[in-house]
Amino acid sequence: MPVPQSGVKILQSLRYDYYRKQDLLADVTVLLIDKVTVVTMDKQRRILTDAAIVIDQQEILSVGASEALTTQYANADRLDGNDLVAIPGLIDAHCHADQSLLRGLGDKMHWIPFLDDVVEPYLAMRDPADGVLANTLAMMEMLRGGTTCFVSPNVDPRDDYEALTGTVGRLGIRAILGRFIVPAEGPDNPDTARQTVADATAVMRQWHKSQDGLVSLWFGLMVPRVAGDTVHPEFYREVASESVRMGVGITYHFCSEIEDAEYIVDEYGVRPAEWSRDHHALGENVLLINGCQVTPLEIEILAETGTHLVHSPVANMKMGTGILPLPDVLAAGVNVALGTDGALNNNSYDMIAEMKAACLLHNAVRQNASAITAETALEMATLGGAQAIGREQELGSIEPGKLADLVLVDLKRIHSYPVHDVVSNLVFSANGSNVHTVFIGGRKVVEGGRILGLDEADVLEQARSRSEALRAKLGIAAANAWPVS
Ligand SMILES: [Zn+2]
């Protein structure tokens, strides 16, 4: 049997200047981005032209008129923002970052064989190195597309957490890793339930807030979806109390498809939101995924409990899993974030494309050109995401005192020019390739469309060779119907 390759080893094989991060941090002084258009996403949703943003270390120090700030901060380093638009870093609140090596292999599949025949065998058969490489590729795509923070919901217990968090640090992205946790097999024994949660939290505590605070560990929970899934009430009670004790979130797939909603109704006689409420799995630190099948009663329960929801329109449409009644959910006061879901069912991690898809889906379904507007989509991708992860005081807008997570977008391109309405162009005309420069916590992580933390060509070459080997090992063929016989 071949020896599994560790994640650390594969990272060491990638060309990387180990001193780069220290150099970058050491170089950080006051930086002034001038002559830039700023979509602030502040309370008034001000859009400033010929403006400047002043960054001091990790934070935004000031935002205002270019002329005044260039005089006030005459000694600051300068970055010419002419023709660029600054937006807050995009938050991908639901993406399986470990699936990028299987891009395109989940097409045309119903969700149950999708999980049974592709996802599960992949998790069982991959080396830790494959997991790290897949995450690396996905994180690089996210950065290139203006995503500065993401929530990966099911980080496998067998993954190489040292190498994974190490990559997060090198790339400089904010990562919320949901450590996958399910009730243990066997009888509903409170001690077993507590031990399962204790084992998970031991790992979580080790890596939570690592890499200068870029990494967070959450509970990546599972609730029953199909016959045979185990349920122990004590387990859910323990996860809820431990999440509060640790100050971390909980995320899980919820009421996503017709079958999983029906399963809960048939088995327990309640709707999924009622089941979750009864099992201590709703609340202000809970981020539910999908919710395509929610009823008006369930929307009310989510609003009452302050539970957050993440919407992935592209994956929902592609897999035909149903349509979240998004306008109703927003009208009820539920906070909604956006997520890409991942390379198996999206098949990309482009949050700008996701914003557009959210508008198109709901406008089509409601036969209403303003059911979901570009402004609402941008709110979900920034402020909604920040609130969903409990960091609205630090992230989600470009305002003094917030962390300097911001994206400079170049709209002066053939497909996104001229600009009459900057938000319209951002959501409907642009895509990830318009992203020019990205800062996270004041650190420049993308410059002129190029990743600074790792060598792109190296990662692509590793992805090619390892994904081919992986596909052969899994015995999965692409679902391409051509040529016809
Ligand atoms: Zn998912």
Side-chain angles (χ1 to χ4, degrees):
M1 235 177 97
V3 180
Q5 196 177 351
S6 83
V8 170
K9 196 170 165 197
I10 195 147
L11 266 182
Q12 285 170 348
S13 73
L14 298 171
R15 275 198 299 276
Y16 173 72
D17 177 356
Y18 285 89
Y19 299 99
R20 170 151 225 146
K21 184 177 155 199
Q22 279 70 25
D23 286 350
L24 285 172
L25 288 177
D27 284 349
V28 171
T29 53
V30 174
L31 173 73
L32 185 141
I33 305 168
D34 64 355
K35 303 189 198 82
V36 69
T37 297
V38 185
V39 180
T40 61
M41 301 307 289
D42 65 6
K43 266 205 172 63
Q44 296 80 41
R45 305 290 189 268
R46 289 179 307 148
I47 297 174
L48 311 173
T49 52
D50 196 13
I53 303 168
V54 183
I55 299 171
D56 183 9
Q57 305 290 323
Q58 297 192 19
E59 288 185 3
I60 297 167
L61 189 61
S62 191
V63 182
S66 210
E67 207 180 314
L69 289 178
T70 44
T71 308
Q72 191 180 344
Y73 296 95
N75 295 326
D77 285 353
R78 294 278 188 90
L79 192 158
D80 184 3
N82 198 22
D83 284 331
L84 297 175
V85 176
I87 60 172
L90 302 173
I91 297 173
D92 188 338
H94 176 59
C95 67
H96 298 267
D98 64 339
Q99 294 180 352
S100 67
L101 292 183
L102 303 185
R103 197 187 304 268
L105 294 180
D107 293 2
K108 307 172 190 172
M109 296 186 85
H110 180 264
W111 70 280
I112 293 176
F114 173 87
L115 291 178
D116 290 349
D117 301 341
V118 180
V119 176
E120 289 300 331
Y122 167 61
L123 291 175
M125 291 176 73
R126 75 183 188 198
D127 289 347
D130 297 321
V132 172
L133 186 60
N135 274 284
T136 305
L137 186 64
M139 288 191 272
M140 290 170 76
E141 181 183 348
M142 288 188 234
L143 286 174
R144 286 280 299 267
T147 294
T148 53
C149 177
F150 69 95
V151 183
S152 192
N154 298 146
V155 180
D156 198 87
R158 293 161 290 192
D159 272 338
D160 184 335
Y161 284 68
E162 184 181 359
L164 180 53
T165 54
T167 317
V168 170
R170 285 172 198 179
L171 289 170
I173 195 167
R174 294 189 197 281
I176 295 173
L177 308 176
R179 206 270 192 186
F180 191 51
I181 179 169
V182 293
E185 298 289 341
D188 182 15
N189 178 335
D191 291 338
T192 312
R194 273 194 284 274
Q195 193 55 50
T196 306
V197 178
D199 291 346
T201 52
V203 175
M204 289 165 66
R205 284 181 200 282
Q206 189 179 353
W207 304 107
H208 187 49
K209 297 189 177 172
S210 61
Q211 299 295 333
D212 300 325
L214 289 172
V215 174
S216 302
L217 264 291
W218 278 21
F219 287 101
L221 196 58
M222 195 180 86
V223 299
R225 301 177 81 187
V226 294
D229 283 348
T230 46
V231 173
H232 293 168
E234 182 62 24
F235 167 81
Y236 292 99
R237 213 184 336 265
E238 193 66 16
V239 168
S241 54
E242 197 59 46
S243 73
V244 171
R245 214 170 297 146
M246 285 182 70
V248 301
I250 300 170
T251 190
Y252 61 95
H253 294 84
F254 163 83
C255 197
S256 301
E257 291 89 2
I258 293 168
E259 295 90 343
D260 72 348
E262 278 177 355
Y263 173 70
I264 294 271
V265 173
D266 292 346
E267 189 72 16
Y268 300 97
V270 293
R271 290 290 309 170
E274 296 175 289
W275 188 96
S276 289
R277 185 186 56 193
D278 296 347
H279 287 80
H280 318 282
L282 295 183
E284 289 175 8
N285 70 335
V286 177
L287 174 59
L288 300 178
I289 299 159
N290 292 329
C292 300
Q293 307 295 331
V294 289
T295 60
L297 165 75
E298 294 182 283
I299 295 172
E300 233 174 81
I301 293 174
L302 301 190
E304 275 167 19
T305 53
T307 306
H308 309 273
L309 191 65
V310 52
H311 179 39
S312 301
V314 173
N316 295 166
M317 285 191 281
K318 181 166 178 281
M319 294 196 76
T321 51
I323 300 159
L324 173 77
L326 179 61
D328 306 340
V329 174
L330 290 171
V334 177
N335 176 52
V336 183
L338 277 184
T340 58
D341 214 332
L344 267 174
N345 54 8
N346 184 302
N347 298 354
S348 80
Y349 298 88
D350 185 339
M351 278 291 286
I352 296 179
E354 205 67 35
M355 289 195 284
K356 180 172 180 173
C359 300
L360 302 189
L361 169 60
H362 299 287
N363 291 3
V365 168
R366 301 286 166 124
Q367 298 186 51
N368 174 356
S370 59
I372 295 297
T373 62
E375 290 90 336
T376 300
L378 189 56
E379 285 173 347
M380 290 191 292
T382 54
L383 296 163
Q387 203 183 329
I389 60 169
R391 299 190 69 176
E392 65 272 25
Q393 303 299 327
E394 304 166 285
L395 303 171
S397 61
I398 301 178
E399 295 180 88
K402 285 209 170 180
L403 288 168
D405 287 19
L406 48 97
V407 179
L408 302 178
V409 182
D410 178 11
L411 291 178
K412 201 171 184 182
R413 306 266 296 277
I414 289 170
H415 62 276
S416 52
Y417 209 71
V419 183
H420 300 294
D421 175 342
V422 68
V423 177
S424 172
N425 282 36
L426 278 167
V427 172
F428 289 127
S429 307
N431 56 52
S433 75
N434 285 79
V435 168
H436 184 278
T437 292
V438 179
F439 290 91
I440 299 178
R443 173 179 163 193
K444 195 191 288 175
V445 292
V446 175
E447 183 175 42
R450 286 203 66 76
I451 303 275
L452 297 179
L454 283 169
D455 186 294
E456 290 183 30
D458 265 7
V459 174
L460 291 178
E461 177 50 28
Q462 293 271 7
R464 184 195 61 76
S465 66
R466 291 199 71 88
S467 65
E468 281 173 11
L470 199 57
R471 200 179 74 210
K473 196 154 87 170
L474 289 167
I476 300 173
N480 194 325
W482 293 342
V484 291
S485 52

